[in-house]
Amino acid sequence: MGKGGGCVPSKKKPPHSTAANSRHRDSNALAPIPVTEQASEIHANDTATPATAAATASQLEVAKLKVFIVFYSIYGHVEGLAMRIKRGVDSVDGVEGVLFRVPETLDKEALDHMKVAPRDEGIPEISAAELVEADGVLFGFPTRYGSMAAQMKAFFDSTGQLWRNRELVGKPAGFFVSTGTQGGGQETTAWTAITQLAHHGMLFVPIGYTFGAGMFKMDSIRGGSPYGAGVFAGDGTREPSETELALAEHQGKYMAAVVKRLCQA
């Protein structure tokens, strides 16, 4: 899917030179060699030097699939889900979760007035062009009257050039959300976002009821739906429950498995 270490090669041969490449794909100029072929070459060549073995290991690292976890979080609830989603993605062999946040559209005065949570400066902002390098994407955002927050919508609005060139066609994607109340849009916030994927020709990957018994429990308040993981934020002071976080981790693992299966098909 991604045009670097992904499973579908680019239609345009020259590799992209985006910020995502420099951060996550230092050796991306080399076309990835399938793992099975690399392994057979190592065993077939008994005279391989340590330097050759190290180079091969480096190529194996380049070939790891990437699931971008792209989110907007104002009070930390969506970011908390994103962290657990990454844990789930990373638990699948050969797949790595990469965290990004979308650019903020509010000024500092507005953010200070809203008393937003401190940002983790270790999570970089993403540009639209960097989406091309992902093999799969999970987008996370809080609700605004049953649909995505303006910051995430602004990011999708910046992907026009990718739409024009059909750069994201066939790339699997999903959603995770945060709402203030139980009727605040756990399903509609994700459902109304599907239009963004449809216009890009992306593949929507819901989790359905794959979380098992945890999807049916009624003994506690729980965010999340068949569309994806979710959390109830309340007035902003409620923290995600362990069930909500476990569902997020499951979504990461599930998406990673889907991406891996698509790339092996």
Side-chain angles (χ1 to χ4, degrees):
M1 298 293 173
K3 298 191 176 182
C7 53
V8 178
S10 173
K11 296 178 183 177
K12 301 174 183 178
K13 280 298 181 183
H16 289 272
S17 179
T18 64
N21 280 345
S22 61
R23 279 196 293 267
H24 305 294
R25 297 165 183 242
D26 295 336
S27 305
N28 223 24
L30 295 175
I33 301 173
V35 174
T36 53
E37 292 182 14
Q38 289 180 334
S40 62
E41 287 174 7
I42 294 172
H43 291 300
N45 186 2
D46 294 333
T47 60
T49 65
T52 303
T56 302
S58 177
Q59 289 175 330
L60 284 169
E61 183 71 22
V62 171
K64 183 171 283 194
L65 299 170
K66 304 285 187 183
V67 173
F68 283 11
I69 304 162
V70 181
F71 68 92
Y72 175 72
S73 186
I74 195 163
Y75 293 116
H77 297 82
V78 176
E79 185 170 333
L81 294 182
M83 296 292 190
R84 285 295 286 266
I85 285 174
K86 175 174 167 56
R87 183 192 297 184
V89 173
D90 291 346
S91 71
V92 176
D93 186 49
V95 189
E96 178 185 3
V98 185
L99 293 167
F100 289 103
R101 65 176 75 248
V102 299
E104 180 59 79
T105 60
L106 297 175
D107 60 29
K108 185 178 184 302
E109 182 179 357
L111 295 173
D112 289 343
H113 179 73
M114 296 169 68
K115 296 181 172 57
V116 301
R119 282 190 171 187
D120 181 347
E121 297 301 329
I123 301 175
E125 285 190 353
I126 190 172
S127 67
E130 290 175 282
L131 285 177
V132 177
E133 305 305 323
D135 299 294
V137 190
L138 286 169
F139 297 99
F141 38 83
T143 189
R144 295 293 183 269
Y145 304 112
S147 58
M148 68 176 65
Q151 289 83 350
M152 183 60 71
K153 184 59 169 66
F155 176 74
F156 274 111
D157 287 349
S158 72
T159 63
Q161 192 62 35
L162 301 181
W163 167 81
R164 181 183 181 88
N165 295 329
R166 299 183 298 280
E167 299 270 17
L168 303 181
V169 170
K171 199 180 296 292
F175 304 115
F176 57 102
V177 304
S178 171
T179 68
T181 64
Q182 293 186 63
Q186 285 286 315
E187 292 191 347
T188 60
T189 304
W191 179 64
T192 54
I194 294 174
T195 58
Q196 313 298 314
L197 307 186
H199 283 266
H200 277 290
M202 302 177 79
L203 307 177
F204 176 50
V205 182
I207 59 173
Y209 285 85
T210 58
F211 189 51
M215 297 290 286
F216 297 94
K217 289 183 178 179
M218 300 289 289
D219 55 350
S220 63
I221 295 175
R222 173 191 61 78
S225 74
Y227 292 90
V231 58
F232 289 123
D235 62 359
T237 60
R238 179 185 182 273
E239 295 297 323
S241 69
E242 181 53 39
T243 300
E244 289 169 331
L245 293 172
L247 178 56
E249 185 171 340
H250 168 76
Q251 184 175 12
K253 182 181 292 188
Y254 184 79
M255 173 59 86
V258 169
V259 168
K260 192 172 182 179
R261 181 177 297 180
L262 288 173
C263 291
Q264 293 175 343

